[in-house]
Amino acid sequence: MTTSGEKAATKVVLLLIRRMEASFHAALRQRFHVLDFFASGEPLPAFLAAAAAAPEAPRAAIVMGADPARVDTAFLDAVPSLRCVVSLAVGVDFIDLDECARRGVVVANSGRVFSTDVADHAVGMLIDVLRRVSAAERFVRRGLWPLQGDYPLGSKLGGRRVGIVGLGNIGSLLAKRLEAFGCIVYYNSRRPKDSVSYRYFPNVYDLAAECDVLVVACALNKATRHIVDKDVLEALGKDGIIINIGRGANIDEAALVRALKEGRIAGAGLDVFENEPNVPRELLSMGNVVMTPHVAVFTSESMSDHLRDHTIGNLEAFFSGKPLLTPVLPQ
Amino acid sequence: MTTSGEKAATKVVLLLIRRMEASFHAALRQRFHVLDFFASGEPLPAFLAAAAAAPEAPRAAIVMGADPARVDTAFLDAVPSLRCVVSLAVGVDFIDLDECARRGVVVANSGRVFSTDVADHAVGMLIDVLRRVSAAERFVRRGLWPLQGDYPLGSKLGGRRVGIVGLGNIGSLLAKRLEAFGCIVYYNSRRPKDSVSYRYFPNVYDLAAECDVLVVACALNKATRHIVDKDVLEALGKDGIIINIGRGANIDEAALVRALKEGRIAGAGLDVFENEPNVPRELLSMGNVVMTPHVAVFTSESMSDHLRDHTIGNLEAFFSGKPLLTPVLPQ
């Protein structure tokens, strides 16, 4: 790590398309000449046009997986000098990877920084759905305990067969946690992993048919869009529970809502939705659904220290001509 | 296990002071002549007097840790034939053990039947408090996500120093689960356990001072009443979190409410309260508190199969003159 003084003479330009906490922002400013979209107050096209026209054209950008930060053809056309995109998210479904590859733009994601937080949140949501924590919470807060007496029993976690869709960093950390609770872990992924002894299912339908709980922990791409559809939900069955900490569009949300309404699955824990921040209205009154607003991935600790160091590490690698720490492109 | 036919001739009388699900009730009736307090519709003294006056006096009772089932001098005086009390709870703080010992009444509890469920629920509540699951749930259900945008970040579980007060069955299962999340486990109990390598603290104050999270998982008795008091909460400090899956009176509830109101601790997950089913009114509006209505111990699975077999096993042992499966008295 070089000092601020040494860097001052050679500060390179960085596009920042993400609201950032103060210490992270300061750490970036110390190393780079930061062009901050949210601070500019301009619409994205105007901001990008001004950035592209600056004396030193920006070669790198930090982006986050939420509007207006879609890195698509229009974005890349607007800043043709761009050669590196660092995503603060794990998923990069909002980045047009084909287009980046064609133009020689390298892409990094946040790697394992957030994986443990996502795995922890998934376990928390599963316990919540099974043991009815949020629902029991509402019961207590509404003052119903003294009026209605005992709250209905929840269900046991131990012994459950939990099928994990996508055994990457997050899925593996989740499996380790579930084992400590006495769950039986199965999984589906593109191919079986040599490093684990969990039972592998080459397709999600068969996995769902053998499981009590299905956890979606895969990336979103063409192959995994609506990987959980009507038929998979049917296979999971009326006592089945689904947890989604991947992306909303990994599940056919309309089919999920129907299955929940009709009692064809038992419950759901959802951190992500197809049309965020909009949540299907029917879910809002269901007692067997736990919903969080896409927060599985974030904690203040991961967001500050770990992510800051990791993001700056990726950028410094790029600007030094070294391989990215967590490359998505080139693979 | 003998058949119903063999038993019919020799059915012994059993007092049942607990509402019971149908299959459990049927299993008891098959084996015993059940005198059911809740079915009688009588006040407890009248019910006990009638039971004591029956042709065959009851020698055993099934009780649960909630009013009106306090097994005190008045209860024991009313049914002097009683020689065995089987509690459906783990804790037996509602049974006067000194008085039972003096009269030669043996006492059994539910042993390990519920321990895993309690440990699971404790982990769920800890994740909930740290990651703000219930609070984020309310945010989503109220439709605030599209209006207010990103929800405030929660905190990471990994690396937390978690102090467990009482490393019995529940505490040990909890420790195993927390290790899988990368937590550092410390504990306090009457004496250090040879079987574990966690750091031992001979008193709760010192434990609290070294911890980020304090989990109360001990029995309630004279030594542990208000074991978490004002000073322990002060030692835990303003970033500290407390979880209680023991008994309400293990914590000085008034001191806890004050500490939460004044921001002298960061949050709490409470399944038990000093004056159940009444919850301190101040807690009901706090966003950093997760409250469940004394449900950690129950799941439908533990309540039906496991507990039924276990309870009947204790009673059959008593009536056959064998040692109880899970004796509290004699120790």
Side-chain angles (χ1 to χ4, degrees):
Chain A
M1 199 73 62
T2 52
T3 68
S4 167
E6 288 172 303
K7 278 281 173 192
T10 59
K11 269 186 184 171
V12 292
V13 178
L14 175 69
L15 294 186
L16 179 61
I17 323 273
R18 163 72 191 178
R19 283 197 179 85
M20 200 66 94
E21 57 146 350
S23 69
F24 198 155
H25 206 284
L28 290 174
R29 283 200 315 273
Q30 194 184 349
R31 291 166 180 81
F32 309 106
H33 178 58
V34 176
L35 301 180
D36 183 336
F37 166 60
F38 283 98
S40 77
E42 291 173 17
L44 187 64
F47 169 77
L48 294 178
E56 195 198 342
R59 292 173 57 222
I62 294 182
V63 296
M64 183 68 207
D67 281 331
R70 297 199 73 80
V71 182
D72 51 15
T73 305
F75 188 109
L76 295 166
D77 280 347
V79 194
S81 58
L82 206 68
R83 286 294 172 272
C84 173
V85 174
V86 177
S87 164
L88 296 187
V90 184
V92 290
D93 50 292
F94 58 96
I95 300 175
D96 186 335
L97 293 179
D98 292 341
E99 197 58 34
C100 286
R102 206 177 62 77
R103 298 170 187 233
V105 175
V106 298
V107 176
N109 68 358
S110 64
R112 288 168 180 264
V113 171
F114 296 122
S115 300
T116 56
D117 288 338
V118 179
D120 291 355
H121 195 84
V123 174
M125 284 208 300
L126 177 55
I127 297 177
D128 194 323
V129 174
L130 284 171
R131 303 297 301 274
R132 309 185 181 190
V133 176
S134 292
E137 245 275 321
R138 288 193 292 276
F139 177 83
V140 172
R141 283 184 192 266
R142 287 172 186 163
L144 297 178
W145 191 8
L147 302 176
Q148 300 187 1
D150 288 351
Y151 192 75
L153 302 179
S155 284
K156 206 178 190 65
L157 182 54
R160 296 265 164 184
R161 298 162 303 169
V162 182
I164 301 176
V165 182
L167 202 71
N169 289 338
I170 293 169
S172 303
L173 291 164
L174 174 59
K176 181 186 148 205
R177 284 153 176 71
L178 292 171
E179 283 190 284
F181 289 89
C183 295
I184 300 149
V185 174
Y186 300 153
Y187 75 106
N188 161 258
S189 60
R190 278 167 298 183
R191 58 193 76 88
K193 315 267 177 187
D194 295 336
S195 55
V196 301
S197 57
Y198 312 125
R199 186 171 160 199
Y200 171 72
F201 288 78
N203 82 69
V204 175
Y205 181 89
D206 293 338
L207 178 67
E210 287 292 315
C211 281
D212 304 306
V213 177
L214 202 63
V215 183
V216 180
C218 59
L220 179 63
N221 52 46
K222 281 166 202 156
T224 63
R225 178 171 298 272
H226 288 198
I227 191 169
V228 175
D229 60 10
K230 182 171 67 67
D231 294 337
V232 170
L233 293 168
E234 202 68 38
L236 186 58
K238 70 177 181 42
D239 296 323
I241 286 167
I242 192 150
I243 304 290
N244 192 1
I245 41 87
R247 283 284 186 270
N250 288 132
I251 300 182
D252 179 342
E253 194 168 299
L256 175 64
V257 170
R258 275 196 305 276
L260 284 164
K261 270 173 76 172
E262 295 165 11
R264 285 183 288 107
I265 67 168
L270 307 169
D271 185 55
V272 289
F273 302 86
E274 277 208 79
N275 187 27
E276 295 172 9
N278 298 300
V279 173
R281 174 171 299 275
E282 294 98 321
L283 297 180
L284 299 184
S285 57
M286 290 184 187
N288 54 342
V289 179
V290 175
M291 294 163 287
T292 50
H294 204 147
V295 295
V297 76
F298 298 125
T299 60
S300 47
E301 293 83 357
S302 63
M303 202 58 178
S304 53
D305 304 349
H306 308 317
L307 183 60
R308 185 180 61 216
D309 296 349
H310 182 86
T311 302
I312 290 173
N314 265 313
L315 288 166
E316 293 191 329
F318 168 72
F319 286 118
S320 320
K322 293 179 187 158
L324 299 176
L325 303 182
T326 46
V328 176
L329 268 182
Q331 285 185 305
Chain B
M1 198 75 61
T2 52
T3 68
S4 166
E6 287 173 305
K7 277 281 173 193
T10 58
K11 269 185 183 171
V12 291
V13 178
L14 175 69
L15 295 185
L16 179 61
I17 323 273
R18 163 72 190 175
R19 284 198 179 83
M20 200 66 93
E21 57 147 351
S23 70
F24 199 155
H25 206 285
L28 291 174
R29 282 200 316 272
Q30 195 184 349
R31 291 167 179 80
F32 310 106
H33 178 59
V34 176
L35 301 180
D36 184 336
F37 165 61
F38 283 99
S40 77
E42 293 173 14
L44 189 63
F47 169 78
L48 293 179
E56 194 196 345
R59 293 173 56 221
I62 295 182
V63 297
M64 183 68 207
D67 281 332
R70 297 199 73 80
V71 182
D72 51 16
T73 304
F75 188 108
L76 295 166
D77 280 348
V79 194
S81 57
L82 205 69
R83 285 295 170 273
C84 173
V85 174
V86 176
S87 165
L88 295 187
V90 184
V92 290
D93 50 292
F94 59 95
I95 300 175
D96 186 334
L97 294 178
D98 292 342
E99 196 58 33
C100 286
R102 206 176 62 76
R103 298 170 186 234
V105 175
V106 297
V107 178
N109 69 357
S110 65
R112 288 167 179 263
V113 172
F114 296 122
S115 300
T116 55
D117 287 338
V118 178
D120 291 355
H121 195 84
V123 174
M125 285 207 300
L126 177 55
I127 297 177
D128 194 324
V129 174
L130 284 170
R131 304 297 301 274
R132 307 185 182 193
V133 176
S134 292
E137 246 275 319
R138 288 192 291 276
F139 177 83
V140 171
R141 283 184 192 265
R142 288 173 187 162
L144 297 178
W145 191 9
L147 302 175
Q148 299 187 3
D150 288 352
Y151 192 76
L153 302 180
S155 284
K156 207 178 188 66
L157 182 54
R160 296 267 164 183
R161 298 164 302 169
V162 181
I164 300 176
V165 181
L167 202 71
N169 289 339
I170 294 169
S172 303
L173 291 165
L174 175 59
K176 180 188 147 204
R177 284 154 175 70
L178 292 171
E179 283 189 284
F181 290 88
C183 294
I184 301 149
V185 174
Y186 300 153
Y187 75 106
N188 161 257
S189 59
R190 278 166 297 182
R191 59 193 77 88
K193 314 266 177 187
D194 293 335
S195 55
V196 300
S197 57
Y198 313 126
R199 187 170 160 201
Y200 172 71
F201 288 77
N203 81 68
V204 176
Y205 181 89
D206 293 338
L207 178 67
E210 286 293 314
C211 281
D212 304 306
V213 176
L214 203 63
V215 182
V216 179
C218 58
L220 179 63
N221 53 45
K222 281 166 201 156
T224 63
R225 177 170 297 272
H226 288 199
I227 191 169
V228 175
D229 60 10
K230 182 170 66 66
D231 294 337
V232 170
L233 292 168
E234 200 69 40
L236 185 59
K238 71 178 179 45
D239 296 322
I241 286 167
I242 192 151
I243 304 290
N244 192 2
I245 40 88
R247 282 284 184 271
N250 288 132
I251 301 182
D252 179 343
E253 196 169 66
L256 175 64
V257 170
R258 275 196 305 276
L260 285 163
K261 272 173 76 172
E262 295 165 10
R264 285 182 288 108
I265 68 169
L270 306 170
D271 184 56
V272 288
F273 302 86
E274 278 208 78
N275 186 27
E276 295 172 8
N278 298 298
V279 173
R281 175 170 298 274
E282 295 98 321
L283 297 181
L284 299 184
S285 57
M286 290 184 186
N288 55 342
V289 179
V290 175
M291 292 163 289
T292 50
H294 203 145
V295 295
V297 78
F298 298 125
T299 61
S300 48
E301 293 84 356
S302 64
M303 200 58 177
S304 55
D305 306 347
H306 308 318
L307 182 61
R308 186 180 59 216
D309 297 349
H310 182 84
T311 302
I312 290 172
N314 264 313
L315 288 166
E316 293 193 329
F318 167 71
F319 285 118
S320 320
K322 294 178 186 157
L324 299 177
L325 303 182
T326 47
V328 176
L329 267 181
Q331 284 186 305

